[in-house]
Amino acid sequence: MKLRHLLAIPALLAAQGVHAQERTTDPLAPLAQCINRSEFQFKTQDRLPASATTRVVKMAAGERRVSTADGYRLMLFRKSSLPFVNLKIERSADGQFAADRETIVAQMQQMSASSKLPHQVPLETDARQGVEVLGSNNASIAQAQGIISLYSLLHAASGTVATAYLLNQPADPRDFATDAQYQALRDQFLASLVSCMADPAQ
């Protein structure tokens, strides 16, 4: 089963145009700005409403929730006029990161386990600079009309979760035309994101 059949991009915003007036701080702003200093920059930056304190994660055994003390959705572009990444960055509520991580890891494991040959999507795991990285990739860009790869990145030290949907670009102009070109850009993006999560002030 392909990633596009496994995934449905959850809506980050509960209500369009709602501003988080209750907030007095913006803990994710340095991370967003660090990402924007990379080769992958956002054209839209939507902040999670302060009233949206959790998001639903659908599991086979039922719905679970992940805390969202704050969050942004960033549509990232490189050279193309088409987006390359739909990125969510979220801050877990105080004391909730461990439980949020458990839910996110379980979701990623379940999605991988439910994929079937000949389009099985294994779960890849890694740890870099204190950031845990979990990823699922379609074997080829030809197999993905929408989402090519899904990554969840978890930084325990700051309680930050990033969810990255890497998108196919079916029309010109595009940033990649081959699997090798896509994989190089994917790895470049992940390295930038990991580095910013580890140290947003760089």
Side-chain angles (χ1 to χ4, degrees):
M1 186 178 294
K2 303 177 186 179
L3 274 180
R4 69 174 184 270
H5 295 144
L6 294 174
L7 308 172
I9 298 177
L12 179 65
L13 300 178
Q16 293 292 334
V18 176
H19 297 285
Q21 294 158 334
E22 299 91 331
R23 294 194 180 98
T24 58
T25 61
D26 193 354
L28 292 172
L31 175 55
Q33 292 305 316
C34 180
I35 293 167
N36 209 39
R37 290 192 294 271
S38 74
E39 191 171 346
F40 307 91
Q41 300 178 337
F42 55 79
K43 294 183 180 180
T44 61
Q45 180 183 19
D46 299 321
R47 193 173 185 186
L48 188 73
S51 58
T53 57
T54 63
R55 63 176 171 90
V56 173
V57 174
K58 294 185 178 180
M59 307 286 290
E63 292 184 348
R64 294 168 67 172
R65 290 188 173 271
V66 167
S67 70
T68 52
D70 205 343
Y72 280 97
R73 180 179 62 183
L74 311 174
M75 295 300 294
L76 301 180
F77 296 75
R78 188 172 170 265
K79 296 179 180 179
S80 173
S81 61
L82 303 169
F84 181 60
V85 183
N86 180 350
L87 177 66
K88 292 189 306 174
I89 53 174
E90 299 167 338
R91 182 63 55 88
S92 289
D94 290 345
Q96 294 299 308
F97 178 81
D100 292 340
R101 176 196 173 276
E102 181 181 352
T103 296
I104 291 165
V105 171
Q107 181 192 36
M108 294 290 289
Q109 291 171 336
Q110 182 176 292
M111 286 191 295
S112 176
S114 66
S115 64
K116 305 295 182 184
L117 292 172
H119 302 299
Q120 195 163 22
V121 184
L123 180 62
E124 304 165 13
T125 60
D126 193 8
R128 316 176 202 173
Q129 299 174 249
V131 179
E132 185 177 5
V133 181
L134 301 93
S136 295
N137 291 278
N138 275 302
S140 171
I141 59 176
Q143 296 178 1
Q145 295 181 10
I147 299 166
I148 306 174
S149 306
L150 166 67
Y151 280 87
S152 290
L153 295 88
L154 304 123
H155 188 237
S158 63
T160 302
V161 176
T163 307
Y165 302 89
L166 281 76
L167 309 173
N168 210 341
Q169 296 177 334
D172 291 330
R174 62 193 305 191
D175 289 314
F176 55 88
T178 67
D179 288 338
Q181 290 173 353
Y182 165 73
Q183 290 161 9
L185 286 177
R186 175 199 64 196
D187 294 347
Q188 181 182 348
F189 163 73
L190 289 172
S192 295
L193 180 56
V194 166
S195 183
C196 283
M197 291 181 72
D199 180 14
Q202 62 181 301

